[in-house]
Amino acid sequence: MKLVRKGVEEIDDRVGGASFLKRSLGKVFPDHWAFMLGEVALYSFVLLVLTGVFLTFFYEPSTREVTYDGPYPPLQGEQMSAAYESVMRISYEVRAGLVMRQIHHWSALVFVAAILVHMLRVFFTGAFRKPRDINWTVGFTLLLLGMGAGFTGYSLPDDLLSGTGIRIGYSALLSIPVIGEWAAFLFFGGEYPAPAFLRRFYALHIMIIPGLLIGAMTVHLMLVWRQKHTEFDGPGRSEHTVTGTRLWPNYGMKALGLMFVVFGTLSLLGGLFQVNPIWLYGPFVPYSASSPAQPDWYMGWIEGLVRLAPNWTEFSVFGYLVAEPFIPAVVLPGIFITIVALWPVLERRFTGDHEMHNLLQRPRDAPIRTALGVAGVTIMAVLTLAGSNDVLAKFLQIEVDTLNEVFKWLLLLAPPAAGYLTYRICRELRDRDEHPIRRPRRVRVRWNAEGGFDDVEDDAPPGAGSPGTRPEERV
C-alpha cells in the first residue's frame, strides 16, 4: 500500500489531479429517478460499441455476388450479395454471432428511445431554459445522430426489407431540387443499388457517425458538469443550490447498479426475443419489395408522412421538377427538426423570459408549452401508426386506402383535441388550492423545557429529512 500511495503522490505532484478528483467525487446529483434516463442511453451506447466491434470481425461490406452454401436450407444455392451472406454466417455459423447481432439491434432501439424520453422530460419540465439552451441543441443532435446510426446499420445486411427502406431514402435524397443528384451520388456512389453504397454506409456507421456521437456526448456531459443539474422546486430548494447525493459512494453505486440492469436487460432481449430475422426476408432484389413492411420505430413517422402524402406534391418550379417525396420526406421533417432544435430560442422570443433557471417546472405550471408538446407527440404517434398501415390493414382485415383516410382525419383532429384537453387539465391542476408548492405549511408540536408545548413550522415534505441535513452544491 505504501508503494501505491507513494506512486499516487508522485503522479499528483506532476499533474495535480487529486484536488480535481476530490471535487468530482463530492459532486451532488439529484435523487429523482428521471435524471437516470440519460444514463440508460449512455450504457446502451457502450453496449452498442462493444457488440459492434465484435460484428466488424465477420461482416463484409460488399455487393459482390456469391452463392449461398450455408446451413440454412431455404437459401442454399441462392445468389446474394457478400454482405447478406456474411450476416447469414454471423447468424448461423459464428459462435454467439446471432445473440451479439440481436443485442446490437436491441441496444440501438433502446439507445434512441432513451434519448427521446430523456428529451421529453427536459422539454416538459423546462430544463432546456437558459443557461441549458445550448445543451438542448447538443442533445437533439445526439438524437438525430442516433437515428442516422440506426438507419445506416439497419441497411448493412442488404436484405429485402432494408433494401426497400434504402430505396425510399435514395428517392427522398434524389428529389431535392438542384443538389439532389449530387447528394445521392455522394452517399450512394451512383444510381441505387450502386456497388459503392454499402462501403459508404459502412464507413458512416462504424466511423463517422460514432465519432460524431462520442464528440457530442463529450460536449453534452461537459456542459452538464459545468452548469450542474437542475432539480424540482420544493421546500428548502432554491435557484442557487442542488440537493441530493454525492457522486461517491452513493450515486456512483446507484449508477453502477443501473449499468448492470441495462446490460442484463439488453442481453435478455437479445437472447430471448427475435429481432430483424433477415433469413425470412431474403436477399435484396432490385425489382422486388417486401410486404407487409415497416422501418424501425424511430423512422416510422417519416414513413407515415410518405405514405399519407397526396399525389399533388409533384410539380415544377422554374423548370426544376420537385419530385413527390420532396415535401413529405424532406421539407416537413426539416421544418419539424428546425422547430425542435430552436425551441429554447422560440420560447424565449414569445415569453420574453431571459432569466437563468436552475429549478424545474412541473408540466401543469406551463400549460401552453405542455399542450403544444402533447399535440406534437400526438402527431408523431399518428404518423408512426400510418407508417405501418400495411401491417395494421392486414391485422385488422380492412383496405389500406380506408385506413389511410382514417389516419388523415386523425392527423387533422387528434393533435388539436389532445392539446386543448391537456391545456384545460393543466390550468385546472395549476389553479387548485392543493397545488404542492402552495400547500400550507405543516406544524409540529414540540415539548418545551417548562413542560408546555410550542408550535414549530416544518417545510420538509413528508418522509424527507430536515432541511440542511442533505448534501447540497451551490450553482
Side-chain angles (χ1 to χ4, degrees):
M1 289 298 293
K2 287 183 179 178
L3 189 62
V4 174
R5 187 180 299 113
K6 184 173 177 54
V8 171
E9 288 173 355
E10 289 292 331
I11 294 174
D12 184 52
D13 288 341
R14 288 159 177 78
V15 300
S19 59
F20 173 77
L21 185 62
K22 186 177 179 180
R23 277 200 317 274
S24 300
L25 293 177
K27 185 175 175 60
V28 172
F29 288 81
D31 291 325
H32 200 278
W33 62 268
F35 290 92
M36 308 295 281
L37 291 169
E39 294 189 30
V40 174
L42 178 63
Y43 302 143
S44 302
F45 181 74
V46 171
L47 205 54
L48 268 172
V49 172
L50 294 176
T51 52
V53 169
F54 176 88
L55 295 174
T56 58
F57 294 152
F58 308 100
Y59 175 72
E60 182 179 349
S62 171
T63 56
R64 176 174 56 86
E65 196 169 84
V66 298
T67 302
Y68 182 72
D69 60 353
Y72 186 66
L75 290 179
Q76 287 175 351
E78 293 283 336
Q79 297 293 306
M80 58 187 64
S81 68
Y84 184 87
E85 192 269 343
S86 68
V87 180
M88 286 295 294
R89 186 156 35 83
I90 291 172
S91 303
Y92 278 86
E93 299 176 60
V94 174
R95 184 169 293 179
L98 179 58
V99 73
M100 297 295 272
R101 231 196 91 215
Q102 297 206 141
I103 292 174
H104 191 71
H105 199 119
W106 278 114
S107 300
L109 298 177
V110 172
F111 174 64
V112 179
I115 295 178
L116 179 63
V117 177
H118 178 63
M119 288 199 68
L120 288 175
R121 194 275 296 171
V122 170
F123 177 84
F124 285 113
T125 58
F128 58 82
R129 293 173 296 168
K130 188 180 176 181
R132 295 172 182 81
D133 41 1
I134 296 176
N135 221 4
W136 166 266
T137 305
V138 175
F140 187 56
T141 303
L142 276 171
L143 177 62
L144 297 179
L145 288 172
M147 293 171 63
F151 178 74
T152 52
Y154 179 79
S155 308
L156 293 180
D158 199 30
D159 59 284
L160 187 56
L161 182 61
S162 68
T164 304
I166 300 171
R167 188 156 45 195
I168 295 173
Y170 174 75
S171 300
L173 204 57
L174 199 63
S175 70
I176 301 174
V178 183
I179 65 168
E181 289 188 18
W182 176 84
F185 181 82
L186 177 66
F187 284 98
F188 289 86
E191 186 176 354
Y192 181 72
F197 95 91
L198 270 179
R199 291 198 303 274
R200 298 190 180 194
F201 272 46
Y202 190 53
L204 284 168
H205 183 68
I206 70 167
M207 290 190 296
I208 299 174
I209 296 179
L212 294 173
L213 273 169
I214 292 172
M217 278 185 191
T218 304
V219 173
H220 186 72
L221 294 175
M222 287 174 64
L223 286 172
V224 170
W225 201 265
R226 174 69 180 84
Q227 296 172 340
K228 310 292 187 299
H229 276 79
T230 54
E231 65 176 341
F232 287 102
D233 197 2
R237 296 173 180 175
S238 72
E239 293 278 9
H240 308 293
T241 58
V242 178
T243 58
T245 53
R246 297 195 184 282
L247 174 61
W248 186 259
N250 293 344
Y251 190 85
M253 290 295 104
K254 188 163 63 174
L256 192 63
L258 178 64
M259 182 183 74
F260 285 117
V261 168
V262 172
F263 282 9
T265 303
L266 290 173
S267 299
L268 283 174
L269 286 171
L272 300 177
F273 295 93
Q274 180 175 277
V275 62
N276 199 21
I278 61 163
W279 50 91
L280 298 182
Y281 309 137
F284 174 65
V285 181
Y287 51 79
S288 296
S290 58
S291 179
Q294 72 289 317
D296 280 337
W297 69 267
Y298 47 84
M299 300 298 288
W301 64 283
I302 299 178
E303 180 79 11
L305 280 169
V306 173
R307 296 191 185 193
L308 294 183
N311 54 12
W312 51 259
T313 53
E314 181 170 307
F315 50 89
S316 296
V317 177
F318 301 116
Y320 290 101
L321 175 67
V322 179
E324 190 172 331
F326 180 62
I327 291 180
V330 179
V331 175
L332 295 180
I335 292 173
F336 175 77
I337 288 171
T338 303
I339 291 175
V340 175
L342 299 179
W343 182 263
V345 179
L346 296 174
E347 183 171 309
R348 191 162 57 240
R349 173 70 179 80
F350 285 105
T351 62
D353 181 6
H354 295 272
E355 298 297 320
M356 305 280 274
H357 295 282
N358 294 309
L359 287 176
L360 297 173
Q361 293 176 306
R362 296 182 185 277
R364 57 187 157 202
D365 294 328
I368 294 179
R369 180 204 302 146
T370 303
L372 290 174
V374 170
V377 171
T378 306
I379 293 173
M380 290 292 109
V382 173
L383 289 175
T384 301
L385 289 173
S388 300
N389 59 359
D390 53 345
V391 178
L392 290 173
K394 184 178 180 181
F395 177 75
L396 299 173
Q397 295 295 304
I398 59 177
E399 295 289 333
V400 172
D401 289 340
T402 304
L403 201 56
N404 280 349
E405 288 301 316
V406 174
F407 282 128
K408 287 176 183 176
W409 281 105
L410 278 177
L411 199 57
L412 189 65
L413 300 176
Y420 177 74
L421 185 62
T422 303
Y423 177 78
R424 297 301 307 174
I425 292 173
C426 289
R427 287 291 303 269
E428 178 70 19
L429 290 173
R430 189 185 63 175
D431 296 339
R432 283 183 178 178
D433 291 337
E434 59 268 28
H435 192 288
I437 298 176
R438 299 175 188 159
R439 68 176 181 273
R441 292 183 172 184
R442 295 184 303 164
V443 176
R444 289 182 179 179
V445 178
R446 185 172 57 190
W447 194 11
N448 59 32
E450 291 75 27
F453 296 94
D454 293 332
D455 292 343
V456 181
E457 291 188 347
D458 181 12
D459 287 336
S466 300
T469 60
R470 305 174 64 203
E472 69 176 34
E473 184 178 18
R474 188 163 295 279
V475 174

